[in-house]
Amino acid sequence: MARMPGEMPMKDRDELIAIRRDIHRHPETAFEEQRTSDIVAAKLREWGLDVHRGLARTGVVGTLKGRRPGQRAIGLRADMDALNLQELNQFAHRSSHDGKMHACGHDGHTTMLLGAARRLAADPDFAGTLYFIFQPAEEGQGGARVMMEEGLFDLFPCDAVYGMHNMPGMPAGQFAIRPGPLLAASDSWSMIFRGTGGHGAMPHRGTDPTMPAAAFITATQTIAGRNVAASDAAVVSVGHIQAGSAGSPNVIPAQVTVSGTARSYSPAVRDVIERRLGELGHSLAAAHGCTAEYEYQRRYPPLINAPEQTALAIRAAEQTVGRDRVDPDTAPLTGAEDFAFMLERKPGAYIFIGNGVDSEGGCHYVHTPHYDFNDEIISTGVAWWVNLVRQELGAP
Ligand SMILES: [Zn+2]
Ligand SMILES: [Zn+2]
């Protein structure tokens, strides 16, 4: 394929590819990224950074001061964890751990941020301080939140934070971002309807929780349709229903559990979903002589890019690959990402880098067993990080 922008010396490039494939071959899941964090810490020390370990168990933070004086400090963040998934690729660097796989490209994210640390340590021509934040457990476990709870921003006070994720199906090395909401809040909820249950032939002798449950499932769709403005977006989906026993279809169950997921892009819409699910569940239960027990669990918040930092991220991307290869107003996605926790606390921006389309071998979507991070974009990703630092901390 064509040489990617931001090309680096062959020796440096080969070292990064070797690191990426080594991490891919040894995937580690939430809070168990011991070997990966050993590699990250060793490399950062080798390149002269101060290294702090142990936040959220396996988190690593490398500190690099610029050659020029400056009070500003920014955090550059990558995730290190793999997924519980059986890899079906056959190449030499496929997973050597059964049932675990780097299927989201966090091996590549870690490598690109390492490459940026090496480059900036070799030429720290910036004013201020960089914190390279390598976090565990992005996938479902909120490693970013745990690092913050354990004092990340007290120990390493950042004025702004940045993150990057690869995007299969987007041409290799292109960038996409938008100011404002980019990824959705991801929440889970459950409603347990309780009645007396009874004999299926004599329902009038008891109360039947399948009635409010059925009405509730239909009514969940009125939240997006009737409570959220058409200009806002919301998704409420039922993913699990549990009641009764398959061997006893003539018994009305005493309990029906309905649970699902909810996605939204703003705190206000998120509040509406939580409130309306509760109102619907409780009122429908009461209407049928039953009770309802409701639980709403806020998992990941919406990921909201700050306008000023997004503009800097766009400028860095344009500097890296040219204006025509940067989409500055991409559509929001309904996926979620725990970097959103950091963006709740600090202004910052999160950008997508294309992992490649079909002909470039980067098209398998993340979280699928044939996915692989595209090594051809490592140098572009490193160049974006370096250009971002020049944008952020360039002026003395
Ligand atoms: Zn993922
Ligand atoms: Zn990911």
Side-chain angles (χ1 to χ4, degrees):
M1 73 178 293
R3 278 167 70 86
M4 298 299 295
E7 209 51 77
M8 56 179 67
M10 202 52 99
K11 177 178 71 64
D12 290 356
R13 181 178 178 274
D14 290 349
E15 184 189 11
L16 291 180
I17 292 177
I19 291 171
R20 207 287 292 179
R21 294 186 176 183
D22 181 48
I23 296 174
H24 190 94
R25 202 179 300 120
H26 302 96
E28 298 171 302
T29 48
F31 300 115
E32 292 171 357
E33 304 88 343
Q34 199 54 55
R35 184 182 182 281
T36 309
S37 65
D38 285 348
I39 293 170
V40 168
K43 286 293 164 192
L44 294 177
R45 283 202 183 100
E46 181 186 326
W47 298 326
L49 283 82
D50 283 334
V51 173
H52 180 283
R53 302 191 66 177
L55 286 177
R57 228 178 295 173
T58 54
V60 183
V61 181
T63 300
L64 182 66
K65 291 205 180 298
R67 187 183 292 136
R68 289 180 278 130
Q71 291 308 308
R72 200 168 159 76
I74 62 170
L76 315 177
R77 169 273 200 185
D79 38 17
M80 301 189 290
D81 58 317
L83 282 157
N84 290 303
L85 188 72
Q86 183 66 42
E87 179 157 13
L88 295 181
N89 289 313
Q90 291 304 320
F91 43 61
H93 63 275
R94 70 179 176 275
S95 171
S96 61
H97 297 172
D98 240 13
K100 296 190 178 194
M101 175 188 177
H102 266 292
C104 206
H106 300 183
D107 48 348
H109 303 165
T110 296
T111 304
M112 291 189 291
L113 191 58
L114 278 176
R118 183 180 60 187
R119 177 90 66 87
L120 288 157
D123 180 20
D125 183 27
F126 57 88
T129 305
L130 296 177
Y131 297 121
F132 295 86
I133 302 166
F134 295 86
Q135 75 150 81
E138 190 285 322
E139 300 285 359
Q141 305 287 321
R145 180 177 42 77
V146 178
M147 280 187 92
M148 294 193 316
E149 285 167 0
E150 295 184 8
L152 174 66
F153 292 135
D154 305 319
L155 291 165
F156 308 101
C158 297
D159 296 302
V161 289
Y162 293 89
M164 172 163 47
H165 204 293
N166 77 96
M167 177 65 75
M170 193 164 99
Q174 288 198 10
F175 288 91
I177 190 171
R178 76 190 300 273
L182 178 64
L183 292 165
S186 170
D187 299 332
S188 53
W189 53 267
S190 73
M191 189 71 72
I192 303 172
F193 294 96
R194 291 199 178 89
T196 61
H199 197 305
M202 290 160 271
H204 60 287
R205 292 196 169 174
T207 54
D208 178 359
T210 69
M211 293 295 114
F216 173 75
I217 290 167
T218 312
T220 58
Q221 297 313 301
T222 64
I223 298 174
R226 285 295 171 269
N227 304 125
V228 173
S231 52
D232 288 330
V235 179
V236 178
S237 293
V238 173
H240 180 76
I241 303 166
Q242 201 271 322
S245 140
S248 310
N250 58 349
V251 174
I252 295 170
Q255 182 171 313
V256 182
T257 301
V258 181
S259 52
T261 188
R263 306 292 164 111
S264 55
Y265 294 102
S266 76
V269 172
R270 197 181 201 191
D271 288 346
V272 168
I273 295 173
E274 177 171 1
R275 177 173 59 79
R276 285 298 293 154
L277 279 172
E279 287 171 356
L280 289 169
H282 287 121
S283 61
L284 288 165
H288 293 275
C290 298
T291 60
E293 182 187 325
Y294 176 42
E295 198 183 326
Y296 190 93
Q297 199 189 358
R298 293 185 174 221
R299 294 171 63 84
Y300 286 4
L303 185 144
I304 298 173
N305 278 334
E308 193 185 322
Q309 282 72 25
T310 305
L312 292 179
I314 291 169
R315 232 175 289 153
E318 290 175 349
Q319 217 178 325
T320 307
V321 294
R323 182 164 277 191
D324 57 331
R325 304 193 74 214
V326 180
D327 178 359
D329 189 25
T330 194
L333 302 174
T334 47
E337 156 67 53
D338 85 340
F339 186 63
F341 286 114
M342 293 193 186
L343 289 180
E344 277 189 326
R345 288 273 303 279
K346 302 286 178 185
Y350 189 73
I351 197 166
F352 291 116
I353 181 169
N355 198 52
V357 293
D358 235 336
S359 58
E360 297 169 319
C363 64
H364 286 288
Y365 207 66
V366 290
H367 294 211
T368 64
H370 288 287
Y371 169 83
D372 192 28
F373 183 83
N374 183 353
D375 287 326
E376 295 296 330
I377 68 173
I378 290 176
S379 54
T380 311
V382 169
W384 177 77
W385 279 121
V386 172
N387 286 330
L388 177 74
V389 169
R390 306 273 187 247
Q391 288 289 340
E392 260 280 2
L393 305 178

